[in-house]
């Protein structure tokens, strides 16, 4: 566990870079409030899209009277409806996230802060929730750049605690947020109960899901020697091992297989899987990696 | 020695312990205390090892999966800690057991006996093995000695054309090593029979006790022969209880080599592969028949390689009055040798007088020795012959022919002149090489060789001579130099002859139906030849018709050459290394000095047979001979050459090529009597007594394991 003072979540220079970005979704979402984002759904905005014949019950305010003057026919002006995007971030705060230097949790917070900043700059609705064994009360929907301090304040107060139950948290999350949107789950996904059920709850909501898997370097390249009794920090489960070259080789193969299996599972279900370690440069993850994956542009 | 176990039911074998470090020795208690402490320490370390260091990790999820994959969570894994301890304790137990020196001994057990026979012949100096075959053989033999057990005995024989016991049976390995290391190469041929006879004599100590009861060794000795197989098969030899194992040294032939047909008509043995050697196999001098002032040198070179060879044969001259060194080049010819063929060469040179000649081939091959050949040209010498005869003109005519005149200077005197002081002094001074007494005998034997015709030498042994009439020649010794080319003796008619039983040491020359009528007998370093009849009998009547036969002048000429010391035998005879060399010198000389090519000079005294026998010609090369003759020092030289095609052919014999079995393999096998022995390239020592190193290795293993544990390093 790390005891070092964590670096600030975001630095000003990085923030200026983030201002150029916006969150995008691969799916059409209907915002609850009109936002700045052009929706593919035609609605009532100032940007003209098309005409259609008037039918009874249509809002008379949308009749194009100029056309009626020329053609003596009632046409309804259709506008591209502007919508706001709901951007959910679900951060794992279980004890296992408190490993590494910087800790995985700190790394997760940085990712959450950066993505939230991008969303706030673009007047998206930002929701941040955290979970360990259950879903914790999170930051309710905020909008606008001015709310960034609330985001940072919320993330700063997050502490690692308890075990993790991703499935329970995802179920609660899906019930709590019935609307659609982009959801980014930042976790190590090392839940012994599996990740499948949890992600299925989210997929069922037709959400645009990004699974950001953060592991510490100690997990990827373990530097263990000798005869050890490994204690799981979350459930005190023990495993006695004698570290040997074959075991280390096998561990890496198991890790590769697990991450590979997770990625394949996600790909088949339209979930974007992003693997990173706490030592991977954080800004590159946002500016390059997520951009390639289509989360930001 | 500690006797622990009782006789076991398998046959009276007892388990004994003979620890290399006895408890009673100076540091024995310390040694054994430390050893006993080892298992105790392992158990303590094991308990320490059980305290695994707890490490908190984010998740044991993947670790458990990994271990499941490695099946380390199986039952074996649960047993692992105990099994490891068990294995370690077992290792230490075996170490302790090994250090106790367990030995199974029975009442009937005797140690293995080895007869180590090492071939030292000329071909063993071949350098196809580094540094040479003999050193490789010695190394193999030393390996065998190292592998001997404490009960084993070995004897060492070095053999070439003769066999020499280097070490009698002993179990002293240090002595065996020293003796084997002292074996030097010889330059002679090979005879396995010699080695086998020596080995069999010493290794088959079967003795007969009483009727039909033979006491022999319970365990037959193993005869280890380290050789390159360059010897003829040993026929008519019984190995007895010897078990031969022939370790063949030398480069094996390359696979798939074809045998080119020989251009010079010589047959090539298909069983003999090529070898990297070119050898001079013959060299002989002869005087040119047409031009007596010229000497001709004939030689033959053979190429054992599978490819043609172009080389230069250089003729070098070695002066007698200076040490035999590099020599002076006087001629050279190019020699083109076909693959596995031979060529003759010839040098013509003006008669150089007494000189040593060497022919040297300019090339590099695996056996350097046979690239040299030596020849000696002696001084043609005239014998001084005194003939005491009462006008026997047939005798004088035969002694003064042109050919005989070249060989001898004949002085004729009458029998009555024998009594004069001059002649008496001359006979005592040994001024004559040969004195021919025709029907007369002196009162005292002269200093010099003699030939008596129709008379007996003075002495008691000849007083018993009896006259016989008309003896018929039955047999004569055609191998004797005096009877060379003498063929028509049965046609000779003899009226009367005197016959006597030759004294001991004599050689009968001509045997008749009445007894020996010609013989030669040694006398104080000289030889007396006696022919029991003369040309003339009493009253100058012809006693025989021998003088009308061709054999008469031939016999006299042979006598001049043999007894007159004309044939010095220095340049003409082929001397081989290791063989005794018979030399002749002036009759007044009692001692000659021989200067071998490498060893210090030695003096040789005249033998009872009047010759000088030198037994030290072990090395091929030129041997200078010198003796004092009056005020001057006379010098001569003789050459010793190996000239042994079998030694020069370096292809090792005794191992059939791969894939050849049954009857096809027979030509490759070495036959000893009726036994065919297949050689091996490597010998398997009967017993490897390396428990000490194994024990130390096991202990080291445990220590390394402890170190790894202690340092928590992982491999």
């Amino acid at each position: 566990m790390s005891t070092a003072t964590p670096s600030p979540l975001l630095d000003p220079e990085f923030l200026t870079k983030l201002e150029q970005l916006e969150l995008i979704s691969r799916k059409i979402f209907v915002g609850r409030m009109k936002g700045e984002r052009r929706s593919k759904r035609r609605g009532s905005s100032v940007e003209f899209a098309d005409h259609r014949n008037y039918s009874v019950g249509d809002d008379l305010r949308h009749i194009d009277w100029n056309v009626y003057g020329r053609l003596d026919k009632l046409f309804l002006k259709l506008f591209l409806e502007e919508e706001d995007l709901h951007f959910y971030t679900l951060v794992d705060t279980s004890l296992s996230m408190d490993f590494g230097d910087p800790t995985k949790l700190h790394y997760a917070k940085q990712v959450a802060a950066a993505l939230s900043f991008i969303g706030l700059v673009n007047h998206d609705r930002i929701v941040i929730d955290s979970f360990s064994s259950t879903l914790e009360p999170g930051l309710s929907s905020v909008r606008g750049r001015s709310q960034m301090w609330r985001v940072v304040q919320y993330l700063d107060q997050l502490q690692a605690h308890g075990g993790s139950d991703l499935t329970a948290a995802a179920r609660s999350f899906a019930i709590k947020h019935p609307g659609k949107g982009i959801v980014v789950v930042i976790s190590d996904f090392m839940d012994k109960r599996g990740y499948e059920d949890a992600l299925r709850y989210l997929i069922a909501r037709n959400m645009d899901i990004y699974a950001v898997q953060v592991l510490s370097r100690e997990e990827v390249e373990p530097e263990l020697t000798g005869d050890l009794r490994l204690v799981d920090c979350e459930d005190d489960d023990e495993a006695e091992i004698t570290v040997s070259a074959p075991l280390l080789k096998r561990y890496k193969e198991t890790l590769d297989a697990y991450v590979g299996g997770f990625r394949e599972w996600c790909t088949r279900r339209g979930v974007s899987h992003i693997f990173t370690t706490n030592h991977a440069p954080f800004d590159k993850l946002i500016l390059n990696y997520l951009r390639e994956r289509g989360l930001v542009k | 020695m500690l006797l622990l176990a009782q006789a076991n039911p398998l046959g009276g074998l007892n388990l004994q312990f003979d620890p290399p470090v006895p408890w009673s020795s100076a540091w024995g208690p310390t040694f054994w205390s430390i050893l006993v402490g080892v298992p105790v320490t392992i158990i303590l370390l094991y308990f320490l090892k059980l305290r695994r260091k707890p490490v908190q990790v984010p998740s044991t999820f993947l670790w458990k999966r990994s271990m499941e994959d490695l099946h380390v969570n199986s039952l074996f894994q649960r047993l692992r800690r105990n099994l490891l301890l068990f294995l370690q304790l077992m290792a230490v137990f075996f170490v302790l057991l090994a250090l106790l020196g367990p030995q199974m001994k029975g009442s009937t057990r005797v140690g293995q006996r080895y007869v180590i026979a090492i071939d030292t012949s000329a071909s063993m100096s071949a350098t196809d093995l580094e540094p040479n075959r003999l050193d490789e053989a010695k190394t193999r033999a030393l390996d065998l000695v190292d592998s001997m057990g404490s009960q084993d005995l070995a004897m060492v024989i070095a053999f070439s054309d003769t066999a020499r016991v280097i070490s009698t049976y002993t179990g002293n390995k240090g002595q065996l090593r020293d003796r084997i290391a002292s074996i030097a190469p010889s330059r002679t041929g090979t005879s396995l029979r010699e080695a086998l006879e020596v080995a069999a004599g010493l290794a088959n100590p079967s003795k007969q006790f009483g009727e039909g009861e033979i006491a022999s060794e319970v365990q037959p000795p193993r005869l280890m022969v380290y050789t390159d197989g360059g010897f003829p098969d040993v026929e008519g030899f019984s190995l007895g209880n010897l078990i031969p194992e022939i370790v063949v040294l030398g480069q094996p032939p390359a696979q798939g080599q074809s045998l080119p047909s020989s251009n010079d008509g010589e047959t090539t043995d298909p069983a003999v592969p090529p070898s990297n050697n070119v050898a001079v196999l013959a060299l002989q001098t002869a005087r040119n028949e047409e031009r007596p002032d010229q000497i001709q040198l004939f030689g033959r070179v053979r190429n054992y390689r599978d490819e043609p060879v172009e080389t230069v044969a250089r003729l070098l001259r070695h002066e007698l009055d200076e040490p035999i060194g590099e020599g002076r080049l006087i001629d050279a010819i190019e020699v083109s040798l076909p693959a596995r063929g031979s060529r003759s060469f010839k040098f013509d040179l003006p008669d150089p007088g007494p000189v040593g000649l060497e022919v040297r081939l300019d090339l590099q091959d695996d056996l350097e020795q046979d690239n040299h050949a030596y020849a000696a040209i002696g001084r043609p010498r005239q014998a001084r012959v005194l003939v005491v005869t009462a006008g026997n003109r047939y005798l004088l005519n035969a002694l003064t022919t042109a050919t005989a005149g070249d060989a001898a200077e004949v002085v004729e005197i009458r029998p009555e002149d024998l009594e004069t002081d001059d002649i008496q002094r001359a006979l005592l001074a040994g001024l004559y090489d040969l004195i021919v007494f025709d029907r007369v005998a002196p009162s005292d034997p002269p200093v010099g060789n003699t030939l008596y015709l129709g008379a007996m030498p003075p002495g008691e042994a000849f007083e018993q001579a009896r006259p016989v009439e008309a003896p018929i020649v039955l047999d004569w010794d055609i191998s004797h130099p005096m009877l060379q080319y003498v063929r028509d003796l049965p046609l000779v008619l003899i009226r009367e002859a005197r016959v006597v039983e030759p004294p001991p040491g004599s050689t009968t020359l001509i045997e008749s139906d009445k007894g020996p009528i010609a013989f030669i007998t040694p006398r104080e370093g000289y030889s007396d030849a006696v022919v029991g009849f003369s040309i003339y009998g009493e009253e100058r009547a012809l006693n025989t018709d021998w003088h009308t036969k061709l054999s008469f002048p031939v016999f006299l000429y042979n006598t001049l050459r043999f007894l007159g010391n004309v044939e010095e035998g220095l340049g003409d005879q082929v001397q081989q290394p290791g063989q005794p060399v018979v030399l002749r010198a002036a009759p007044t000389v009692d001692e000659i000095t021989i200067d071998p090519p490498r060893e210090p000079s030695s003096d040789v005294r005249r033998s009872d047979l009047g010759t000088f026998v030198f037994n030290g010609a072990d090395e091929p090369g030129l041997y200078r001979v010198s003796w004092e003759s009056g005020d001057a020092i006379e010098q001569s030289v003789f050459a010793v050459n190996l000239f042994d095609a079998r030694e020069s052919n370096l292809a090792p014999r005794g191992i059939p090529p791969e894939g050849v079995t049954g009857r096809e393999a027979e030509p490759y096998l070495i036959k000893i009597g009726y036994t065919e022995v297949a050689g091996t390239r490597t010998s398997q020592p009967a017993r490897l007594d390396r428990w000490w190193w194994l024990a130390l290795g096991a202990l080291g293993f445990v220590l390394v394991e402890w170190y790894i544990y202690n340092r928590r390093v992982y491999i």
Side-chain angles (χ1 to χ4, degrees):
Chain A
M1 288 188 203
S2 172
T3 53
T5 307
S7 57
L9 292 181
L10 299 169
D11 65 72
E13 187 185 353
F14 183 57
L15 285 179
T16 56
K17 290 180 183 171
L18 293 180
E19 280 188 26
Q20 313 299 320
L21 302 175
E22 64 172 315
L23 299 168
I24 58 168
S25 171
R26 294 164 297 180
K27 296 180 178 176
I28 300 168
F29 298 120
V30 179
R32 288 179 188 162
M33 296 180 66
K34 288 185 170 52
E36 289 188 339
R37 188 178 302 274
R38 267 200 305 274
S39 169
K40 288 178 180 171
R41 175 175 173 268
R42 295 187 185 95
S44 50
S45 70
V46 293
E47 194 160 346
F48 176 75
D50 201 355
H51 285 94
R52 70 171 173 80
N53 289 330
Y54 173 77
S55 60
V56 178
D58 281 340
D59 193 345
L60 295 177
R61 287 176 297 176
H62 292 154
I63 292 174
D64 192 339
W65 296 111
N66 293 330
V67 174
Y68 179 74
R70 288 206 301 274
L71 302 174
D72 200 16
K73 281 185 180 174
L74 285 172
F75 280 95
L76 223 60
K77 275 209 291 193
L78 297 181
F79 298 93
L80 284 178
E81 189 172 44
E82 291 176 353
E83 61 182 6
D84 59 342
L85 180 69
H86 280 75
F87 183 78
Y88 305 97
T89 308
L90 195 55
V91 180
D92 184 356
T93 59
S94 64
L95 276 172
S96 65
M97 293 294 283
D98 200 21
F99 277 84
D101 184 20
T103 62
K104 294 190 280 181
L105 180 59
H106 184 74
Y107 194 86
K109 286 178 185 178
Q110 285 182 306
V111 174
L115 293 176
S116 300
F117 180 74
I118 296 170
L120 289 175
V121 167
N122 292 290
H123 291 273
D124 294 325
R125 292 267 168 213
I126 302 298
V127 177
I128 303 178
D129 279 342
S130 64
F131 73 95
S132 52
S133 54
T134 57
L135 188 70
E136 313 272 333
L139 179 66
S140 58
S141 170
V142 293
R143 193 177 186 207
R145 181 194 290 254
S146 59
Q147 300 299 310
M148 187 60 200
W149 67 272
R150 291 184 64 189
V151 170
V152 173
Q153 190 181 40
Y154 172 76
L155 290 175
D156 270 342
Q157 58 87 31
L158 288 181
Q159 294 292 330
H161 65 282
S164 76
D165 188 345
L166 181 61
T167 311
R171 189 173 65 239
S172 304
F173 180 84
I175 294 168
K176 183 180 171 187
H177 303 289
K180 295 173 183 173
I182 302 171
V183 58
V184 175
V185 186
I186 308 171
S187 170
D188 53 12
F189 291 98
M190 289 289 179
D191 197 324
K192 286 170 184 160
R193 299 173 192 85
Y195 48 81
E196 294 89 348
D197 288 345
L199 292 180
R200 277 197 195 103
Y201 282 117
L202 305 178
I203 293 167
R205 288 285 175 191
N206 204 19
M207 285 182 161
D208 194 2
I209 307 165
Y210 288 82
V212 179
Q213 187 175 19
V214 184
L215 293 184
S216 64
R217 194 167 66 179
E218 290 78 3
E219 287 170 286
V220 179
E221 298 280 346
E223 293 177 349
L224 300 174
T225 56
D227 296 316
L228 302 174
R229 194 174 74 245
L230 303 180
V231 182
D232 195 315
C233 66
E234 293 184 2
D235 56 7
D236 292 334
D237 182 30
E238 291 184 355
E240 290 190 351
I241 61 164
T242 300
V243 180
S244 62
L247 179 63
L248 286 176
K249 183 167 175 284
R250 191 70 219 173
Y251 172 81
K252 286 176 187 170
E253 288 169 1
T254 308
L255 177 64
D256 289 345
Y258 180 73
V259 173
F262 185 26
R263 177 179 294 121
E264 190 185 341
W265 191 92
C266 291
T267 308
R268 289 189 175 185
R269 288 158 181 80
V271 177
S272 292
H273 174 261
I274 293 140
F275 176 81
T276 185
T277 68
N278 61 340
H279 277 254
F282 158 69
D283 51 347
K284 280 188 182 167
L285 176 80
I286 302 296
L287 297 175
N288 301 338
Y289 205 63
L290 288 179
R291 187 182 271 180
E292 285 170 13
R293 291 301 177 94
L295 179 61
V296 295
K297 72 168 187 178
Chain B
M1 196 173 288
L2 194 64
L3 192 65
L4 283 187
Q6 296 299 318
N8 71 27
L10 292 176
L13 294 174
N14 294 326
L15 180 65
Q16 293 183 0
F17 290 93
D18 187 11
V21 184
W23 176 262
S24 56
S25 67
W27 58 294
T30 313
F31 179 78
W32 289 104
S33 302
I34 292 171
L35 279 179
V36 170
V38 170
V40 177
T41 310
I42 288 178
I43 294 172
L44 287 177
L45 287 173
Y46 183 73
F47 283 123
L48 287 174
K49 193 174 181 174
L50 285 180
R51 295 175 55 193
R52 287 171 181 269
K53 185 183 170 190
V55 176
Q56 206 165 39
V57 291
S59 175
T60 54
F61 175 51
L62 291 178
W63 286 109
K64 287 200 163 181
R65 268 199 184 185
S66 304
M67 292 198 298
E68 281 168 10
D69 288 344
L70 278 178
H71 302 290
V72 287
N73 268 342
S74 62
L75 181 65
F76 180 80
Q77 165 66 8
R78 279 191 256 285
L79 287 174
R80 187 178 66 95
R81 59 180 70 163
N82 293 330
L83 188 66
L84 194 63
L85 176 67
F86 174 72
L87 287 175
Q88 287 172 344
L89 290 177
M90 283 298 287
V92 174
F93 171 74
F94 281 123
V95 169
L96 291 173
L97 193 64
L99 289 177
L100 281 171
Q103 294 173 346
M104 292 295 283
K105 291 194 175 173
S107 54
T108 58
R109 186 189 185 281
V110 291
Q112 176 70 53
R113 299 198 310 158
Y114 296 97
V115 180
I116 300 171
I118 297 178
D119 185 356
T120 61
S121 65
S123 58
M124 291 294 282
S125 299
T127 54
D128 54 343
L129 297 179
E130 290 292 335
N132 58 47
R133 290 180 179 180
L134 180 60
D135 282 358
E136 176 71 18
K138 284 156 73 174
T139 307
R140 301 274 188 94
L142 289 173
D143 286 346
L144 179 70
V145 169
D146 287 342
S147 72
M148 278 168 46
S150 58
Q151 296 286 319
D152 298 344
L153 300 174
M155 65 177 289
V156 184
I157 297 171
F159 70 98
S160 51
D161 56 345
T162 57
R164 204 157 45 94
V165 177
I166 301 294
S167 170
T168 53
Y169 270 125
T170 178
N172 185 342
K173 291 187 181 181
Q175 181 188 330
L176 285 169
R177 283 194 203 97
D178 290 345
R179 296 287 173 88
I180 289 173
S182 72
I183 293 176
S186 74
R187 306 292 181 191
T188 57
T190 321
S191 169
L192 182 62
R193 175 183 288 275
E194 293 276 341
L196 290 174
E197 280 173 353
V198 172
L202 293 162
N204 293 335
S206 301
K207 289 175 185 168
Q208 194 160 355
F209 297 103
E211 283 186 15
E213 189 184 346
I214 294 175
S216 61
E217 292 293 329
V218 174
Q219 200 167 7
R222 285 178 66 191
L223 170 62
M224 304 293 300
V225 184
Y226 297 92
T227 179
D228 53 7
F231 46 77
D233 290 334
V234 184
E235 290 175 0
F237 186 84
S238 173
L239 282 165
N241 59 358
L242 275 177
I243 304 171
E245 187 175 334
I246 297 179
V247 181
V248 179
L249 304 159
Q251 287 288 356
Q255 289 295 314
Q257 271 178 330
S258 61
L259 296 178
S261 59
S262 184
N263 298 334
D264 53 3
E266 290 190 32
T267 55
T268 48
D269 186 354
V272 179
S275 56
N276 177 26
N277 193 27
V278 177
V280 183
L281 288 185
L283 189 69
Q284 197 157 23
T285 54
R287 198 167 290 275
N288 193 336
E289 295 291 337
E290 296 167 356
R291 295 185 58 188
D293 59 329
Q294 274 211 332
I295 298 288
Q296 290 179 318
L297 198 64
F298 300 98
R300 193 163 66 89
V301 190
R302 181 159 178 80
N303 176 20
Y304 290 94
R305 295 178 183 170
D306 226 358
E307 57 195 21
V309 170
E310 297 277 335
T311 184
V312 174
R314 292 193 291 155
L315 179 63
L316 302 156
R317 173 187 172 133
H318 297 278
E319 302 296 340
L320 293 191
D321 51 357
E322 56 194 48
I324 305 290
E326 272 299 297
R328 254 174 287 168
L329 180 69
I330 53 175
D331 202 355
I333 53 168
E334 285 187 358
V335 183
S336 296
L337 291 158
R340 306 186 65 177
S342 60
R343 282 278 179 273
S344 297
F345 61 85
K346 188 185 85 171
F347 287 105
D348 287 305
L349 64 156
D351 187 355
V355 77
L357 296 174
E358 179 188 355
V359 172
R360 195 182 296 167
L361 297 181
D362 270 354
L363 49 79
Q364 294 279 325
D365 57 19
D366 285 345
L367 188 60
E368 205 267 340
Q369 178 191 331
D370 57 14
N371 297 344
H372 305 256
Y374 303 93
I377 297 175
R379 193 196 310 275
R381 184 173 174 279
Q382 266 197 329
R384 298 189 66 192
V385 180
L386 180 68
V387 182
V388 188
T389 179
N392 186 342
R393 61 186 176 91
Y394 297 113
L395 176 64
L396 291 171
N397 286 348
L399 289 175
T400 51
T401 59
T403 308
D406 286 342
E409 175 193 351
V410 177
V411 177
E412 180 208 353
I413 59 168
R414 296 276 164 178
E416 52 267 28
D417 296 337
L418 270 178
E419 304 302 323
T420 61
D421 290 345
D422 288 349
I423 297 296
Q424 285 287 341
R425 269 201 301 275
L427 291 180
L428 289 176
L431 289 185
Y432 296 100
D433 295 301
L434 173 65
I435 304 116
V436 181
F437 295 101
D438 182 30
R439 299 187 63 226
V440 66
S443 52
D444 293 312
V447 176
N449 295 329
T450 56
L451 170 66
Y452 294 91
L453 292 171
M456 287 290 155
E460 291 180 9
F462 305 101
E463 287 174 358
Q464 307 297 324
R466 55 192 166 85
V468 294
E469 288 190 357
I472 300 168
V473 174
L474 297 178
D475 192 19
W476 64 100
D477 186 358
I478 57 169
S479 64
H480 197 274
M482 285 172 68
L483 292 175
Q484 276 191 325
Y485 311 113
V486 172
R487 292 286 178 272
D488 52 6
L489 284 180
L491 304 177
V492 173
L493 299 175
I494 305 164
R495 187 167 299 185
E496 282 185 356
R498 292 172 71 84
V499 175
V500 73
E501 189 63 31
S506 305
T507 305
T508 301
L509 297 176
I510 303 172
E511 190 85 43
S512 75
D513 60 338
K514 303 282 183 353
I517 52 172
F519 56 89
I520 184 164
T521 183
R523 170 186 43 90
E524 295 173 357
Y526 302 101
S527 296
D528 292 333
V530 178
V531 177
F533 59 96
S534 178
I535 307 292
Y536 290 106
E538 298 295 331
E539 308 292 331
R540 289 196 66 81
L542 281 171
N543 186 41
T544 176
D545 64 347
W546 193 19
H547 58 278
T548 64
K549 303 289 187 291
L550 186 61
S551 57
F552 181 64
V554 172
F555 173 79
L556 286 178
Y557 180 69
N558 286 344
T559 306
L560 282 184
R561 286 178 63 86
F562 181 70
L563 293 181
N565 295 332
V566 173
E567 183 188 279
E568 288 189 320
L570 303 183
D572 300 339
Q573 292 180 6
V574 175
Q575 310 287 355
Q576 289 202 310
Q579 303 294 324
V581 179
V582 180
L583 302 167
R584 295 172 190 279
T588 53
V589 177
D590 287 332
E591 193 175 73
I592 60 173
T593 303
I594 296 178
D595 211 355
R598 294 192 186 174
E599 288 162 26
S601 60
S602 57
D603 295 336
V604 178
R605 294 193 65 79
R606 187 184 285 272
S607 72
D608 290 343
L609 294 171
T611 53
F612 298 88
V613 180
F614 179 56
N615 285 311
D618 296 329
E619 193 83 16
L622 292 167
Y623 290 69
R624 285 196 301 161
V625 185
S626 54
W627 65 89
E628 287 183 15
S629 177
D631 296 335
I633 292 180
E634 292 210 38
Q635 286 181 319
S636 184
V637 65
F638 68 93
V640 175
N641 291 290
L642 177 60
F643 291 158
D644 188 330
R646 198 179 281 275
E647 292 298 322
S648 294
N649 186 356
L650 299 181
R653 194 174 70 101
I655 295 186
E658 284 182 22
V660 173
T661 52
R663 187 167 289 276
E664 292 176 348
E666 278 183 15
Y668 299 94
L669 302 178
I670 294 168
K671 297 178 187 67
I672 300 173
Y674 295 106
T675 314
E676 289 183 344
V677 185
T680 56
R681 291 235 171 261
T682 54
S683 58
Q684 293 295 325
R687 177 178 148 187
L688 281 172
D689 206 1
R690 301 271 196 257
W691 61 267
W692 175 259
W693 298 108
L694 283 174
L696 285 180
L699 195 59
F701 171 75
V702 173
L703 289 176
V704 168
E705 190 180 3
W706 173 82
Y707 174 78
I708 289 173
Y709 166 76
N710 203 33
R711 292 294 302 269
R712 293 185 185 279
V713 295
Y714 58 88
I715 303 168

